Amino acid sequence: KQEVTQIPAALSVPEGENLVLNCSFTDSAIYNLQWFRQDPGKGLTSLLLIQSSQREQTSGRLNASLDKSSGRSTLYIAASQPGDSATYLCAGSITQGGSEKLVFGKGTKLTVNP
Amino acid sequence: GAVVSQHPSRVICKSGTSVKIECRSLDFQATTMFWYRQFPKQSLMLMATSNEGSKATYEQGVEKDKFLINHASLTLSTLTVTSAHPEDSSFYICSAKSWGTEAFFGQGTRLTVV
């Protein structure tokens, strides 16, 4: 069974701090890794997709890395802002029954305090 | 990123009635659409995967006669909750993607059955 684990479950930091969110997966069948943010009562917003041939992706203050050999991905947020407060989810792509599916972690709830 | 539009965002219905939720990919053609259910403070639970023009594949424990999924085109999938009961009240989210690419999510539908 594919499992995706996110640590920590919750994180509270002061504004301006750099932080790292962790995502680990047990199944080498996971090939792509995608990071999302979810605001309360909303859908998911895609942040970064790291495809299997890539090791990292960057978008603005966000940098995500993928190490398939160790089954880990990290999301680095630089100079955090209160607007970054949300739940961050990572999801790995697998092939199952001829379809591509996402296996989600339970998320890290981030609070950035002004 | 690409836009996935989900409607309605909120719906209240009487017990025993049916509710249809639409999911549209506005600026790309999605070969696969996914329907998720999310309980409060929990991660997403995949309900079913649908490929355009074929029957949906339901996850274990999801009643296909209760949650009817139609994926008529590369840009539209619908989820119909039939004979809704209060226990069906939840947050439903759709996602659209093509193989190996980013998954994009709708804004979610809050269903309340009274």
Side-chain angles (χ1 to χ4, degrees), chain A residues 31-32 34 36 38 41-44 46 48-49 51 89 93 95-96 98-102 104-106, chain B residues 32 34 36 38 43-44 46 49 51 59 91 93 97-108 110:
Chain A
Y31 46 94
N32 294 344
Q34 193 167 356
F36 300 89
Q38 185 177 29
K42 304 291 185 182
L44 276 64
S46 176
L48 290 164
L49 167 69
Q51 295 182 314
L89 296 154
S93 298
T95 301
Q96 191 173 77
S99 292
E100 186 179 30
K101 296 183 179 180
L102 294 179
F104 280 89
K106 293 186 177 180
Chain B
T32 307
F34 306 87
Y36 296 86
Q38 188 174 33
S43 191
L44 298 124
L46 180 64
T49 302
N51 295 304
E59 295 298 301
F91 192 58
I93 312 176
K97 78 190 304 292
S98 294
W99 196 281
T101 64
E102 269 181 282
F104 296 98
F105 283 75
Q107 59 266 56
R110 172 73 59 194

Side-chain angles (χ1 to χ4, degrees), chain A:
Chain A
K1 180 182 176 181
Q2 302 87 6
E3 287 191 359
V4 176
T5 304
Q6 290 188 246
I7 295 173
L11 180 65
S12 181
V13 301
E15 182 177 4
E17 191 163 297
N18 302 326
L19 58 100
V20 174
L21 305 180
N22 296 294
C23 173
S24 62
F25 47 95
T26 56
D27 195 333
S28 59
I30 287 177
Y31 46 94
N32 294 344
L33 199 294
Q34 193 167 356
W35 283 91
F36 300 89
R37 69 172 279 170
Q38 185 177 29
D39 294 285
K42 304 291 185 182
L44 276 64
T45 300
S46 176
L47 298 174
L48 290 164
L49 167 69
I50 312 172
Q51 295 182 314
S52 58
S53 59
Q54 301 169 328
R55 291 187 65 85
E56 67 177 320
Q57 284 288 324
T58 298
S59 176
R61 294 182 293 108
L62 305 179
N63 176 277
S65 66
L66 174 62
D67 183 345
K68 289 192 66 182
S69 62
S70 64
R72 292 181 183 176
S73 177
T74 60
L75 178 66
Y76 175 82
I77 302 177
S80 58
Q81 303 172 357
D84 295 330
S85 298
T87 296
Y88 290 80
L89 296 154
C90 68
S93 298
I94 60 166
T95 301
Q96 191 173 77
S99 292
E100 186 179 30
K101 296 183 179 180
L102 294 179
V103 181
F104 280 89
K106 293 186 177 180
T108 293
K109 184 176 182 181
L110 173 65
T111 303
V112 181
N113 301 300

Side-chain angles (χ1 to χ4, degrees), chain B residues 12-19 66 81-85 88 113-114:
Chain B
I12 301 173
C13 71
K14 291 185 178 181
S15 186
T17 61
S18 295
V19 174
K66 179 163 191 63
V81 182
T82 63
S83 188
H85 291 285
D88 299 324
V113 185
V114 297

